[in-house]
Amino acid sequence: MEIDREDGRTPNQLRPLACSRNILHRPHGSASWSQGDTKVLAAVYGPKPGTRKNENPEKACFEVIWKPKSGQIGKAEKEFEIILKKTIHSICVLTVNPNTTTSVIIQASNMFQCLFPLLYMMMVLYPFFYNARQPCHDLLPCAINAACAALVDAGIPMKHLAVAICCCLADSGYVVLDPNKLEEKKMTAFAYLVFPNTTLSVLPEVEGEPVEHGIITSVTHGVMSVDDYFLCVETGRAATASLSAFFRKNFQQSQGASSKAG
Amino acid sequence: MSSKVSVSPTSLIDQIVVPGDVVLDLSNMTNQTIKLGSGLRQDSDAISAMRAGKFSYSKPNKYWVESSHKRYIPRTEDHVLGIVVDYKADNFWVDIKGPQIALLPGLAFEGATRRSIPKFEVGTLLYLRVVKTNIGMNPELSGTDASGKASVFGPLKDGFMFETSTGLSRMLLSSPTCPVLEALGKKLSFEIATGLNGRVWVNAAAPRSVIIVANAIMNSETLSATQQRIMVEKLLAKISD
């Protein structure tokens, strides 16, 4: 019944998480988020006065710039920018600072670490050959988490946080959470899912759907049946509690460390 | 998923909250008038946090989320340090590190008439008071206090201006006097103007006093009171030989 994963994790176990905020000097908010070997750096500038053309001046405008680790900016990067922009639009309160622009810049920080160092060296030395590679899809959930942490660091008003997770479907029909790059290649289909975070509330328990049952973004690759997709969503949603708890604890520790005097 | 027994916290006051946390339930407080400060937003009966920080309460009825950032959200009656970026039609446009550029009417100075508007060049540093902040409009500033006198406001000449976070400027302006300023004031004489928008201006007779004060303030952000005093003593001991 159990799937054997190469690094010894259970199907529902996430890779080790690490997050640090306020790491860059010039941006107004910055964060780095790493899940296992995948690491992404996010920087936020803003809000600055003025919106771009064709944007609604009654709302705040967000622009996302995705910088790959190496190579030219291509269609895949543009697609990530659009996905990230729509996710940010869903979680931020757009009416607080109308007619302003906030820029979010994502920098992929760690390339796919190949198990064979020689092959890795060849990939680095032949960029023209290497540009025909698949874009680094596993960076997207990491990037969404990093962007969210950077927006919190910059003080941009938000309705709630977003937690992103990747769920994939193995040949045998089992759902596996948070695959690394090698595992992802072997899967038949995978989905990136972004959920709202688990919040603390002074409201008494109410009947009906709690807010975690919403979903913000879903990007799928490959072919899977509808039932399998809903199974992926349920498994992903169950993991949002641990991601939210990690973020909250990380934030509390950084606040405690920089204890203010007076 | 196993059924979880979740105990909703009775109160989140003085706790660290992240965006989305519901901090107040208005259905329990029907007869009170409460004032919501920065970082909170109302969603029918639930008040939730928009920013991450410490949820604070002050009697009788003020709630807000306290956090420190590199940008500033303008509030009325704040004292800020602005830099002139433009001058058009008797009005100055001043940058105060906020989401919008602020407007300073040329007549908002003591004794200013249409003929004698002060001439500030682009790049002048001014100590000003925020008069109006409305959503969607540029904030308005003034170079006088509420009664029309110049008092402490106006251009700041010489000296050195550096940028800090808003949390550090709040700490510098707290009363009783912030430990780092008290410790520096015992040995050095200097002049300081702190803007709540994260800008600090320091002036002293000797350039090295200015540098010591600026470095001490920039180092003191994450230190406790005793640590600040020790840091200042070490700094002063190093340069006095």
Side-chain angles (χ1 to χ4, degrees):
Chain A
M1 281 287 280
E2 284 288 308
I3 277 198
D4 287 328
R5 299 179 78 168
E6 269 163 16
D7 44 9
R9 287 184 287 154
T10 64
N12 282 352
Q13 194 179 355
L14 304 171
R15 287 176 288 177
L17 300 167
C19 169
S20 27
R21 263 163 285 95
N22 203 11
I23 41 181
L24 300 173
H25 183 62
R26 295 192 67 198
H28 305 131
S30 54
S32 89
W33 183 284
S34 62
Q35 287 178 220
D37 270 343
T38 313
K39 186 168 171 189
V40 175
L41 201 60
V44 171
Y45 289 90
K48 289 192 175 166
T51 44
R52 318 185 109 207
K53 278 193 229 177
N54 304 329
E55 295 275 357
N56 187 357
E58 288 181 33
K59 294 195 175 164
C61 159
F62 287 86
E63 61 166 356
V64 180
I65 300 169
W66 181 293
K67 293 186 188 282
K69 170 89 175 177
S70 64
Q72 306 280 346
I73 297 183
K75 289 186 204 149
E77 281 79 25
K78 292 276 179 226
E79 189 189 344
F80 291 155
E81 287 177 11
I82 293 172
I83 295 171
L84 211 62
K85 180 172 168 173
K86 293 200 173 167
T87 308
I88 293 176
H89 268 264
S90 304
I91 57 174
C92 289
V93 185
L94 299 175
T95 48
V96 170
N97 289 322
N99 204 20
T100 59
T101 306
T102 309
S103 314
V104 181
I105 296 152
I106 306 284
Q107 169 76 62
S109 179
N110 237 23
M111 231 182 350
F112 155 55
Q113 302 289 339
C114 185
L115 286 180
F116 303 101
L118 186 62
L119 189 59
Y120 176 68
M121 284 299 294
M122 281 169 58
M123 284 176 173
V124 169
L125 291 173
Y126 294 104
F128 298 110
F129 168 71
Y130 192 57
N131 260 338
R133 75 199 190 285
Q134 282 291 323
C136 288
H137 278 290
D138 63 328
L139 291 169
L140 187 61
C142 218
I144 293 174
N145 290 327
C148 204
L151 289 169
V152 163
D153 188 45
I156 309 287
M158 294 199 274
K159 292 180 219 163
H160 46 73
L161 299 175
V163 287
I165 198 153
C166 176
C167 308
C168 49
L169 204 60
D171 292 334
S172 35
Y174 292 109
V175 172
V176 165
L177 277 187
D178 199 20
N180 57 25
K181 186 83 178 172
L182 293 172
E183 288 176 330
E184 206 178 290
K185 284 192 179 324
K186 296 187 213 155
M187 299 293 166
T188 47
F190 51 92
Y192 300 115
L193 301 163
V194 184
F195 299 99
N197 69 328
T198 326
T199 53
L200 290 180
S201 174
V202 292
L203 292 174
E205 287 287 316
V206 285
E207 293 294 324
E209 302 245 349
V211 73
E212 296 99 76
H213 281 205
I215 183 167
I216 301 174
T217 304
S218 157
V219 184
T220 54
H221 289 265
V223 178
M224 59 171 97
S225 71
V226 173
D227 291 328
D228 284 337
Y229 175 70
F230 283 126
L231 184 60
C232 281
V233 170
E234 286 307 315
T235 327
R237 182 171 288 135
T240 56
S242 57
L243 274 171
S244 307
F246 166 76
F247 187 90
R248 190 181 293 275
K249 193 168 125 194
N250 188 280
F251 187 75
Q252 279 170 346
Q253 277 172 347
S254 71
Q255 292 294 89
S258 63
S259 58
K260 292 164 191 148
Chain B
M1 252 187 74
S2 57
S3 60
K4 46 181 180 160
V5 181
S6 57
V7 180
S8 31
T10 44
S11 160
L12 286 171
I13 293 180
D14 282 343
Q15 302 280 328
I16 308 281
V17 294
V18 293
D21 288 346
V22 178
V23 292
L24 285 178
D25 183 8
L26 289 183
S27 51
N28 285 345
M29 320 159 100
T30 37
N31 289 337
Q32 303 170 25
T33 318
I34 56 172
K35 294 187 185 171
L36 298 179
S38 72
L40 292 172
R41 108 190 153 104
Q42 182 177 9
D43 200 4
S44 61
D45 256 359
I47 307 287
S48 54
M50 281 200 298
R51 293 200 178 90
K54 193 165 97 160
F55 178 56
S56 314
Y57 166 65
S58 119
K59 290 189 181 164
N61 55 2
K62 291 191 195 143
Y63 296 92
W64 72 97
V65 176
E66 198 167 297
S67 53
S68 169
H69 300 290
K70 290 185 189 167
R71 296 290 279 180
Y72 166 66
I73 307 293
R75 295 252 171 269
T76 47
E77 297 310 316
D78 274 359
H79 297 183
V80 296
L81 257 69
I83 298 181
V84 177
V85 290
D86 206 356
Y87 175 60
K88 278 185 195 151
D90 289 348
N91 289 329
F92 295 98
W93 293 96
V94 178
D95 162 50
I96 51 171
K97 283 171 76 172
Q100 298 278 5
I101 214 161
L103 179 71
L104 171 64
L107 294 170
F109 291 95
E110 186 177 357
T113 61
R114 286 228 165 261
R115 306 242 176 102
S116 65
I117 291 182
K119 293 183 181 39
F120 298 129
E121 295 191 347
V122 170
T124 315
L125 185 66
L126 300 164
Y127 191 58
L128 302 162
R129 180 175 66 98
V130 179
V131 172
K132 268 194 228 168
T133 52
N134 294 319
I135 291 191
M137 287 169 54
N138 303 78
E140 253 189 57
L141 306 170
S142 165
T144 66
D145 61 13
S147 59
K149 297 272 190 299
S151 74
V152 291
F153 302 110
L156 296 168
K157 296 193 171 53
D158 305 326
F160 170 60
M161 188 274 291
F162 56 96
E163 309 219 331
T164 64
S165 66
T166 49
L168 180 57
S169 14
R170 279 198 297 266
M171 183 184 81
L172 291 173
L173 287 170
S174 61
S175 67
T177 322
C178 163
V180 69
L181 291 178
E182 213 180 308
L184 286 167
K186 283 187 192 153
K187 296 281 170 58
L188 301 169
S189 73
F190 58 93
E191 217 188 326
I192 185 171
T194 312
L196 278 161
N197 58 336
R199 286 196 175 130
V200 181
W201 172 88
V202 180
N203 194 14
R208 68 189 220 148
S209 309
V210 174
I211 295 173
I212 294 165
V213 172
N215 283 343
I217 291 174
M218 287 195 266
N219 287 345
S220 65
E221 176 148 18
T222 52
L223 302 178
S224 73
T226 27
Q227 284 171 329
Q228 286 178 17
R229 284 189 208 106
I230 297 172
M231 184 262 299
V232 170
E233 274 168 26
K234 281 194 193 157
L235 208 57
L236 291 171
K238 267 192 222 170
I239 51 97
S240 64
D241 31 63

